Amino acid sequence: MGSSIGRAMMLMLLVFLFTTACDASWKKNVRVTNQIPGVTLNVHCKSADDDLGLQELAPNAFFDFSFRSSFIGDTDFYCSFQWPGAPVEWFDIYIGSRDLTVCDKCWWSVRPTQDGPHPCMLNWGSGQYEICKPWNKLHIVHFYQRNTSKQTSMGFFIGRVVMMMFVVLSFEITCDAHWTKHVRVTNQLEGMTLNVHCQSAENDIGLQNLAPNAFFQFSFKSSFIGDTKFYCIFQWPGVEEWFDVYVGSRDLKACNQCWWSVRTTEYGPHPCRMDWGSGKYEICKPWKQKSSMSLH
């Protein structure tokens, strides 16, 4: 009895850690935009549990919805698409096994391609809907079914062990994309070279000399407890400032691609983070006081 309770508590602890560390990875936002010129696009999306209803999208209009994806990757949403003069098409707009570690904002556009209108996913790196996919060949919906048959005590024990191993493996695989962070710093100061020197408690990225509109970037795995920190010193003619370009407690759930630009604002040059919703560097922050500069 005691060992069974211990295994159950261990399983609960693993699930709690997984849920806490990867909470943002489970929160998904799906957007569908109509980029077919001059026609209305009718979209009807649903999952095994939710029917989102018929959406009529004028050209360049969109609709979106949000949900929490199952950590075992069995959350699926499919949509039917119809526009004048074309048969109904089907596409899996979100597949947990495909998208869980690929995107938190899974934005799609139905747009013309060389093979006719197709669903194309937004590439956040380029800002273009260029990851185009074929329509489903058949309208097939798979539902996740749980095995509710009775098990022997040995079978139950083996099942719990397998479940624990699966949770640990899922924690490692699913969170890997969420823990991997990409920081970019761009110089948008007109006519001036920006010197940037970034480091953490363990890593020194070295001095970077950025001409106007140039950038540099680096990647790392952030600690899931949120204690990873990178700060940078910024210098341009007559000025020296510093700023935390990545702070785990602030950014772990806020961004995977944490892109910054030093640009002129109404208060002078400041670091501004990319708002991926608008595609602009508009989340501007004040510089840090030099007396408070610390790696801890």
Side-chain angles (χ1 to χ4, degrees), residues 259-279:
W259 290 11
W260 294 89
S261 168
V262 177
R263 58 199 304 265
T264 302
T265 71
E266 59 181 316
Y267 303 107
H270 277 277
C272 300
R273 195 176 78 195
M274 171 72 77
D275 180 344
W276 289 106
S278 66

Side-chain angles (χ1 to χ4, degrees), residues 104-120:
D104 290 337
K105 292 183 177 180
C106 307
W107 289 11
W108 294 87
S109 168
V110 178
R111 60 195 306 266
T113 71
Q114 61 182 3
D115 299 315
H118 277 275
C120 299

Side-chain angles (χ1 to χ4, degrees), residues 22-242:
C22 292
D23 181 64
S25 286
W26 294 1
K27 294 177 182 177
K28 303 298 180 180
N29 174 256
V30 172
R31 174 176 292 186
V32 179
T33 299
N34 174 20
Q35 289 190 322
I36 304 176
V39 299
T40 296
L41 178 66
N42 294 322
V43 185
H44 191 174
C45 298
K46 61 174 66 177
S47 70
D49 304 308
D50 300 289
D51 187 330
L52 304 181
L54 180 65
Q55 309 290 329
E56 296 184 0
L57 303 181
N60 298 315
F62 68 85
F63 89 99
D64 57 9
F65 59 96
S66 299
F67 57 94
R68 287 181 181 273
S69 183
S70 165
F71 77 88
I72 62 175
D74 66 346
T75 303
D76 299 336
F77 278 88
Y78 71 93
C79 303
S80 66
F81 298 83
Q82 191 170 27
W83 61 95
V88 177
E89 300 284 5
W90 299 90
F91 183 69
D92 299 318
I93 207 73
Y94 182 87
I95 297 292
S97 58
R98 179 192 70 194
D99 301 321
L100 185 64
T101 61
V102 172
C103 58
D104 290 337
K105 292 183 177 180
C106 307
W107 289 11
W108 294 87
S109 168
V110 178
R111 60 195 306 266
T113 71
Q114 61 182 3
D115 299 315
H118 277 275
C120 299
M121 191 177 192
L122 180 61
N123 181 346
W124 287 102
S126 67
Q128 302 294 320
Y129 287 100
E130 58 189 16
I131 307 173
C132 298
K133 303 290 185 179
W135 299 108
N136 291 3
K137 292 183 179 180
L138 295 173
H139 172 211
I140 301 176
V141 182
H142 299 283
F143 296 98
Y144 178 72
Q145 298 179 344
R146 295 176 175 85
N147 182 2
T148 58
S149 62
K150 295 183 179 179
Q151 303 173 346
T152 65
S153 58
M154 179 59 71
F156 181 81
F157 171 74
I158 293 174
R160 298 286 74 76
V161 171
V162 171
M163 178 63 75
M164 291 175 67
M165 293 174 63
F166 180 76
V167 169
V168 174
L169 180 62
S170 297
F171 181 75
E172 179 66 24
I173 295 175
T174 305
C175 290
D176 181 68
H178 187 53
W179 291 354
T180 301
K181 304 297 181 179
H182 309 279
V183 172
R184 174 179 291 190
V185 178
T186 299
N187 174 20
Q188 289 190 319
L189 299 178
E190 295 185 4
M192 291 184 285
T193 296
L194 178 66
N195 296 321
V196 186
H197 191 176
C198 299
Q199 62 187 73
S200 68
E202 294 83 20
N203 299 287
D204 188 330
I205 308 301
L207 180 64
Q208 311 290 327
N209 301 108
L210 302 181
N213 298 316
F215 68 86
F216 87 99
Q217 61 185 16
F218 58 95
S219 301
F220 57 93
K221 289 185 179 294
S222 182
S223 165
F224 78 90
I225 63 174
D227 61 352
T228 304
K229 182 176 181 179
F230 278 88
Y231 77 89
C232 302
I233 297 173
F234 299 83
Q235 293 177 319
W236 61 96
V239 181
E240 179 178 283
E241 300 284 2
W242 80 279

